[in-house]
């Protein structure tokens, strides 16, 4: 008997609400499943990207750093003292022209700082040359080649010193300051372009060039400055009197063979974008590398202050329709002789008469439309889907037949102007690692602004494409 104070415990169960499926939930579920399927198909599907054909040019990557070699004659000082240059660097001097002065006592520097030399002005010729130097420096300067800023500085400084020394000479002749006997005037022993720098490569010959020289690891260029003390026999300047000069570059064996066959090559100087033709000589270096000597007979003065030059060889520069290499494909076709092909009136529709066996066992013929993709020497390239090896074609106006067997391959791209992958033959003029230049306006070929499949491996022939 239960105690009077105890109460009966009732088990409480959780109420389960019935699933209330309505039309909205069904529609949402259907849409959700559809979206999931679309996303899955998007990531699994090969995306077909179009490429618009444009006109363009293509040149092979032929950039090289070469070493410039000239006939450089070093002139040494015939007396000790402070040197002051009279001729401007890069100026052509004749034999007997004054190039520099040597002050044996150093009193000339004091006179320069105290004397009233009058005002100086640039002549039209000097002003034009100075403007040209400024323009060339501005257009050719790159942070990677900051040393060119110093070359520009010395060139401008040379122009200023030349003007000052003109006035100094006049002052020395007109005044009785006693300096005339202590100043030695030095005239040019050779005709040529004056240069005020040394680098140890003045006597370098093409057969002595090595790959380490072209890397410029240990290269040092010494600028010869005015108002510096020199000893008798020290180098004070050098003269380049010959317009014949050359640039030596290191090339691989394949490029060497191309250059040797060409004999002459068009060269673009990257410093100022000037172009010139060079005679090519192939050299076998002492370090086992192959070198090409590019010989010029002009433009030497433009690069007289440069030992190393970046040049571009303008080989295989072609212009046409520019397409990516990924768009190029190969397709196999049957070769059908011309006498087996019929044409429907004035249209571009082609057909063949194929021999068949009728239901009653007799032989007959059937006309079939075929697509022609190229015509070469009287043979038509016909798609393989319409025929198979061993088929017999009836030759027009005769009872003779031709057995289909011969095949050939065409190089082309897939045109997508009509909404499907339409194979078009191309004629490649030049090709590098990324792009190809193809001949424009060819029969069965491409036109400017055609849309082609960028990746030929993403489609198959005649595949329907949503543009």
């Amino acid at each position: 008997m239960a105690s009077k104070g105890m109460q009966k415990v009732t088990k409480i169960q959780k109420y389960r609400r019935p699933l209330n499926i309505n039309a909205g939930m069904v529609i949402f579920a259907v849409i959700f499943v559809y979206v999931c399927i679309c996303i899955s198909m998007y990531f699994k599907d090969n995306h077909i990207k179009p490429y618009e054909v444009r006109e363009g040019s293509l040149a092979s990557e032929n950039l090289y750093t070469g070493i410039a070699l000239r006939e450089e004659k070093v002139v040494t000082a015939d007396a000790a003292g402070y040197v002051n240059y009279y001729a401007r660097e890069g100026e052509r001097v004749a034999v007997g022209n004054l190039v520099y002065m040597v002050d044996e006592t150093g009193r000339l520097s004091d006179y320069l700082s105290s004397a009233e030399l009058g005002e100086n002005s640039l002549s039209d010729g000097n002003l034009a040359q100075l403007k040209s130097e400024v323009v060339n420096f501005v257009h050719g300067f790159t942070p990677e080649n900051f040393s060119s800023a110093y070359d520009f500085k010395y060139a401008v400084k040379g122009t200023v010193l030349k003007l000052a020394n003109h006035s100094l000479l006049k002052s020395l002749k007109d005044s009785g300051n006693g300096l005339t006997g202590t100043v030695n005037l030095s005239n040019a022993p050779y005709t040529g372009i004056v240069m005020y720098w040394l680098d140890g490569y003045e006597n370098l010959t093409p057969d002595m060039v090595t790959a380490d020289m072209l890397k410029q690891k240990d290269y040092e260029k010494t600028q010869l400055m005015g108002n510096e003390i020199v000893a008798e026999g020290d180098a004070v300047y050098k003269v380049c009197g010959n317009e014949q000069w050359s640039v030596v570059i290191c090339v691989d064996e394949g490029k060497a063979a191309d250059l040797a066959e060409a004999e002459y090559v068009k060269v673009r100087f990257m410093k100022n974008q000037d172009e010139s033709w060079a005679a090519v000589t192939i050299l076998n270096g002492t370090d086992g590398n192959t070198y090409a000597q590019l010989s010029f007979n002009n433009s030497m003065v433009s690069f007289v202050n440069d030992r190393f030059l970046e040049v571009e060889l303008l080989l295989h520069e072609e212009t046409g329709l520019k397409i990516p290499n990924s768009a190029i494909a190969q397709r196999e076709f049957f070769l059908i002789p011309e006498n087996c092909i019929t044409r429907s009136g004035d249209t571009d529709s082609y057909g063949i008469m194929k021999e068949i066996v009728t239901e009653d066992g007799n032989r007959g013929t059937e006309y079939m439309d075929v697509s022609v993709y190229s015509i070469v020497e009287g043979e038509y390239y016909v798609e393989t889907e319409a025929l198979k090896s061993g088929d017999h074609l009836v030759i027009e106006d005769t009872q003779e037949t031709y057995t289909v067997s011969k095949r050939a391959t065409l190089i082309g791209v897939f045109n997508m102007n009509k909404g499907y992958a339409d194979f078009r033959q191309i004629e490649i003029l030049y090709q590098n690692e990324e792009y190809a230049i193809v001949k424009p306006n060819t029969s069965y070929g491409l036109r400017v602004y055609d849309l082609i499949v960028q990746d030929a491996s993403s489609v198959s022939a005649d595949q329907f494409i949503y543009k």
Side-chain angles (χ1 to χ4, degrees), residues 36 83 148 156 165 267 269 280 312 346 364 374 378 397 424 455-456:
C36 291
V83 63
S148 61
V156 174
N165 289 336
V267 178
F269 298 97
V280 180
E312 180 182 9
D346 296 331
S374 183
D397 299 330
R424 298 287 182 88
D455 184 5

Side-chain angles (χ1 to χ4, degrees), residues 87-142:
R88 189 176 65 85
E89 187 170 32
E91 179 183 9
R92 178 174 291 276
V93 296
V95 175
N97 287 162
L98 179 62
V99 178
Y100 70 97
M101 302 173 287
V102 175
D103 175 20
E104 297 179 2
T105 63
R107 293 171 56 195
L108 184 59
S109 297
D110 298 333
Y111 178 74
L112 281 172
S113 59
S114 61
E116 293 292 336
L117 299 179
E119 295 184 357
N120 293 292
S121 61
L122 291 174
S123 65
D124 292 339
N126 286 332
L127 182 60
Q129 194 163 9
L130 184 59
K131 287 181 178 178
S132 176
E133 289 176 357
V134 173
V135 171
N136 288 337
F137 170 73
V138 171
H139 289 286
F141 176 77
T142 58

Side-chain angles (χ1 to χ4, degrees), residues 225-296:
M225 305 296 296
N227 204 26
E228 297 286 338
I229 191 168
V230 296
E232 184 178 354
D234 286 351
V236 286
Y237 71 95
K238 57 184 179 181
V239 177
C240 183
N242 197 333
E243 278 290 333
Q244 305 292 329
W245 67 295
S246 63
V247 176
V248 178
I249 60 175
C250 184
V251 296
D252 56 38
E253 293 183 0
K255 187 66 66 178
D258 291 342
L259 293 173
E261 183 179 357
E263 296 184 359
Y264 290 88
V265 62
K266 195 174 185 180
V267 178
R268 177 183 293 135
F269 298 97
M270 305 310 294
K271 178 180 179 179
N272 55 10
Q273 299 300 309
D274 285 351
E275 297 177 0
S276 183
W277 284 93
V280 180
T281 304
I282 302 301
L283 307 170
N284 293 320
T286 56
D287 58 354
N289 292 316
T290 304
Y291 298 88
Q293 180 184 4
L294 310 175
S295 301
F296 304 90

Side-chain angles (χ1 to χ4, degrees), residues 412-461:
V413 297
F414 290 107
N415 189 303
M416 52 188 297
N417 290 346
K418 299 178 181 179
Y420 65 93
D422 182 21
F423 186 86
R424 298 287 182 88
Q425 181 193 9
I426 59 173
E427 183 179 340
I428 299 177
L429 300 176
Y430 181 68
Q431 187 175 20
N432 63 15
E433 295 180 356
E434 296 183 5
Y435 291 93
I437 296 297
V438 303
K439 190 174 182 180
N441 302 324
T442 58
S443 300
Y444 310 100
L446 292 177
R447 303 291 187 273
V448 181
Y449 305 122
D450 277 351
L451 286 180
I452 63 174
V453 178
Q454 185 169 331
D455 184 5
S457 63
S458 64
V459 298
S460 56

Side-chain angles (χ1 to χ4, degrees), residues 159-206:
T159 301
V160 176
L161 285 176
K162 179 181 177 180
L163 291 172
N165 289 336
H166 269 290
S167 298
L168 176 61
L169 281 176
K170 185 175 184 301
S171 179
L172 288 175
K173 293 177 181 179
D174 295 343
S175 63
N177 48 35
L179 290 175
T180 307
T182 63
V183 175
N184 297 313
L185 305 181
S186 182
N187 299 324
Y190 315 107
T191 298
I193 305 298
V194 176
M195 295 177 283
Y196 297 129
W197 58 274
L198 301 171
D199 61 359
Y201 289 160
E202 283 73 25
N203 296 319
L204 188 69
T205 57

